[in-house]
Amino acid sequence: MTLALSQPVQAEDAPKEIKIATEGAYAPWNFTRADGKLDGLEIDLANDLCARMKIKCTIVAQDWDGLIPSLTVGKFDVIMASMFITPKRLETIDFTKPYAVDPSGFAVSKDSPLGKLGVSTEKFKLDDQASALAAIEKLKPLLKGKVVGVQAATTNLDFLKKYFADTVEIREYKTTEQHDLDLAAGRIDALFAQQTSLVATLKKPEFAEYTVAGPGFVGGVFGLGTGAGLRKQDTKLKEMLNAAIDSAIADGTIKRISEKWVGTDVTPLK
């Protein structure tokens, strides 16, 4: 495929080589294959953006809780790990424009009160407090007393603490793979994560009796969407990445890659 550039993104002072970090444990966005190689939506997208910028990129794995600290001390140059752009994170690092917007929601057993309602396509913006809070209040009695697994140090955890702390028992995990194992073993009742990640998890045979249920939520604690994190001083690199993201949105590449990996278009709305 010929990569069409919306505008030149390289300049004399542009970096010629960068290192990109991902978690490598958040399928299908980024994960480590059995052969040890990184794969997923963000791996494909990172390689595409690097080709557009005409620079050499190395992609490495880094534990989630070490991503921002390691970026700031220079272990790598960019984070692409399904990280939401939030005001709190912007205090420490900078972000590109969003390259994806993906609602978060619950996965529960099909025979649970919430599960019996079936799959919902509704999406609520937390910035629209009236409608979002009404949707949350409808969910609370359906989840009351349940144990919900969520990845630690994420906006998904922030959401649960803000809106469901008085309703459910929140159990934190270092990785989503760990809470998936506990759900399969019956040690927790539900998961809260990005809906595309939950859909991928529930395709595994051990989750045949589970479903994504209830609406999805965006905005508010989830910020502006998913973007690439970088150091505040790397303004030229940010300019290059933004131009490459614009180009990948304009020619449908992000749509194609996201539909390949998560079965839906997560391209940010203009």
Side-chain angles (χ1 to χ4, degrees):
M1 181 183 70
T2 301
L3 297 175
L5 289 172
S6 58
Q7 61 182 37
V9 294
Q10 199 167 10
E12 289 183 0
D13 59 345
K16 301 298 188 294
E17 182 174 352
I18 61 171
K19 186 177 290 186
I20 299 173
T22 193
E23 184 186 9
Y26 196 63
W29 289 76
N30 59 80
F31 62 95
T32 306
R33 299 185 335 202
D35 62 5
K37 293 183 179 179
L38 291 166
D39 208 351
L41 186 159
E42 286 170 310
I43 309 307
D44 281 0
L45 180 58
N47 285 321
D48 179 87
L49 297 180
C50 291
R52 293 172 193 270
M53 295 186 294
K54 301 185 186 304
I55 60 176
K56 180 180 178 181
C57 294
T58 303
I59 305 174
V60 299
Q62 167 70 52
D63 287 347
W64 173 263
D65 55 7
L67 281 166
I68 290 178
S70 296
L71 173 71
T72 59
V73 299
K75 283 187 64 177
F76 41 77
D77 307 293
V78 178
I79 298 170
M80 290 186 67
S82 196
M83 186 172 283
F84 293 151
I85 305 164
T86 66
K88 183 177 180 181
R89 288 174 178 148
L90 283 167
E91 292 175 3
T92 306
I93 63 173
D94 202 358
F95 280 90
T96 63
K97 58 181 57 183
Y99 56 75
V101 175
D102 182 24
S104 291
F106 291 96
V108 294
S109 64
K110 293 177 180 178
D111 62 358
S112 68
L114 178 55
K116 289 177 181 177
L117 294 183
V119 180
S120 171
T121 58
E122 288 185 294
K123 297 177 179 62
F124 291 93
K125 290 184 177 181
L126 295 171
D127 311 281
D128 180 4
Q129 290 196 16
S131 61
L133 289 176
I136 288 167
E137 289 304 315
K138 289 181 180 179
L139 290 176
K140 285 186 174 182
L142 303 177
L143 289 162
K144 189 169 181 62
K146 301 296 185 183
V147 182
V148 181
V150 64
Q151 188 175 16
T154 63
T155 50
N156 290 317
L157 174 61
D158 294 339
F159 174 88
L160 289 181
K161 285 183 174 180
K162 183 171 182 177
Y163 297 107
F164 286 89
D166 60 347
T167 304
V168 304
E169 178 186 334
I170 302 169
R171 193 166 296 175
E172 300 178 35
Y173 294 84
K174 184 177 178 65
T175 69
T176 59
E177 293 171 339
Q178 291 173 348
H179 68 44
D180 292 352
L181 290 172
D182 267 11
L183 184 68
R187 289 187 283 267
I188 57 177
D189 304 302
L191 301 176
F192 189 78
Q194 286 173 264
Q195 289 181 328
T196 55
S197 178
L198 293 174
V199 168
T201 294
L202 299 189
K203 287 179 180 179
K204 300 174 184 177
E206 62 265 38
F207 298 108
E209 299 306 314
Y210 290 86
T211 184
V212 176
F217 295 93
V218 297
V221 296
F222 297 114
L224 302 175
T226 301
L230 65 169
R231 290 178 292 271
K232 289 180 180 289
Q233 65 266 32
D234 291 340
T235 55
K236 184 60 187 179
L237 178 57
K238 178 180 177 179
E239 177 188 328
M240 293 167 63
L241 283 165
N242 278 339
I245 290 168
D246 278 342
S247 176
I249 290 173
D251 69 11
T253 295
I254 291 181
K255 179 178 185 293
R256 174 181 57 78
I257 291 175
S258 63
E259 287 177 342
K260 167 189 171 182
W261 283 106
V262 301
T264 190
D265 183 9
V266 299
T267 304
L269 297 176
K270 292 184 178 180

